[in-house]
Amino acid sequence: DTGVSQDPRHKITKRGQNVTFRCDPISEHNRLYWYRQTLGQGPEFLTYFQNEAQLEKSRLLSDRFSAERPKGSFSTLEIQRTEQGDSAMYLCASSLAGSQWSGEKLFFGSGTQLSVL
Amino acid sequence: DAKTTQPPSMDCAEGRAANLPCNHSTISGNEYVYWYRQIHSQGPQYIIHGLKNNETNEMASLIITEDRKSSTLILPHATLRDTAVYYCTPRAGTALIFGKGTTLSVSS
């Protein structure tokens, strides 16, 4: 168990540029979540996948945000035409979930810190 | 989503028990209560969860009131490494919804 890995740890970009973050979940975990966290706030849920299927994306912040999880393994989160308000920590989490919602522990990565200049 | 209320900050002396309260008066019958903590610059870490019964694991104990409208996380012997933001979050499906949590400061 090597934990959830996120890359890069830090990203600095200019307003208007596109950025992509990668998340590698714990091996065998079937669920993968993306959260965003701004200073002083708790993590804000964005979207999640069950294997390769994206089951919830209504909380993605705008149509500039998109996520993929091809083949149900790693996932990418892309932000197009970045704005200064997109500056935040982007967190990924994975879990091994069965048919019940109880007892699902999320394991979080250390996040990607995005700064938009 | 059920809403939670937690005190913004608490202090605790090293070696003493830390009791962190959470109000979740709008919780529905099938929502579990989860507790996570976040140490600076890291992602949140799972601590414990429960539905109706009190729970204990190697990290903490969780006391849930009979009406399930509130719960208390207990760290029996707080250490300096327990300084973190603690989140209480009900969940019935989809994803965990985090509030601002309680910043616990443990001092020697």
Side-chain angles (χ1 to χ4, degrees):
Chain A
D1 181 353
T2 58
V4 177
S5 177
Q6 292 190 244
D7 183 70
R9 285 297 310 274
H10 303 275
K11 178 70 177 179
I12 300 173
T13 190
K14 292 182 179 179
R15 185 165 50 93
Q17 298 293 306
N18 299 344
V19 294
T20 300
F21 311 137
R22 177 181 171 121
C23 172
D24 286 274
I26 293 172
S27 179
E28 306 302 321
H29 276 192
N30 54 0
R31 286 201 182 131
L32 188 148
Y33 299 81
W34 284 100
Y35 284 80
R36 183 181 84 152
Q37 186 172 26
T38 54
L39 201 61
Q41 304 295 317
E44 177 185 11
F45 170 66
L46 297 178
T47 188
Y48 90 100
F49 294 84
Q50 170 98 7
N51 299 313
E52 66 275 9
Q54 189 173 11
L55 298 186
E56 172 63 66
K57 53 183 178 180
S58 64
R59 300 200 194 217
L60 282 169
L61 301 164
S62 78
D63 58 6
R64 298 184 297 106
F65 287 71
S66 63
E68 293 183 341
R69 193 185 183 197
K71 303 178 183 178
S73 56
F74 73 92
S75 176
T76 57
L77 177 70
E78 181 182 17
I79 309 174
Q80 296 182 327
R81 305 180 304 282
T82 54
E83 302 172 356
Q84 288 185 324
D86 297 332
S87 296
M89 174 75 80
Y90 290 84
L91 292 161
C92 174
S94 70
S95 70
L96 181 62
S99 58
Q100 301 284 331
W101 279 98
S102 64
E104 181 181 349
K105 302 177 187 178
L106 269 62
F107 294 83
F108 283 82
S110 295
T112 294
Q113 181 65 53
L114 173 66
S115 297
V116 182
L117 305 178
Chain B
D1 300 328
K3 300 210 183 300
T4 60
T5 302
Q6 297 180 256
S9 63
M10 294 183 65
D11 296 318
C12 181
E14 189 177 23
R16 304 297 295 266
N19 296 281
L20 292 89
C22 178
N23 180 291
H24 34 77
S25 58
T26 61
I27 195 170
S28 61
N30 61 344
E31 284 186 311
Y32 282 72
V33 178
Y34 285 76
W35 283 82
Y36 281 72
R37 72 180 184 183
Q38 187 171 26
I39 296 171
H40 183 61
S41 298
Q42 298 181 21
Q45 175 192 25
Y46 168 84
I47 301 174
I48 198 167
H49 74 282
L51 183 60
K52 292 188 288 188
N53 300 320
N54 298 337
E55 302 288 344
T56 295
N57 63 19
E58 66 278 4
M59 290 183 69
S61 294
L62 175 61
I63 308 297
I64 303 173
T65 57
E66 192 170 343
D67 63 8
R68 300 203 338 110
K69 292 185 177 181
S70 66
S71 61
T72 300
L73 179 74
I74 300 172
L75 306 178
H77 305 287
T79 70
L80 298 178
R81 292 194 296 179
D82 291 322
T83 292
V85 179
Y86 287 77
Y87 298 101
C88 159
T89 165
R91 179 191 179 178
T94 310
L96 295 169
I97 305 300
F98 294 86
K100 292 186 178 182
T102 296
T103 299
L104 175 68
S105 299
V106 181
S107 57
S108 56

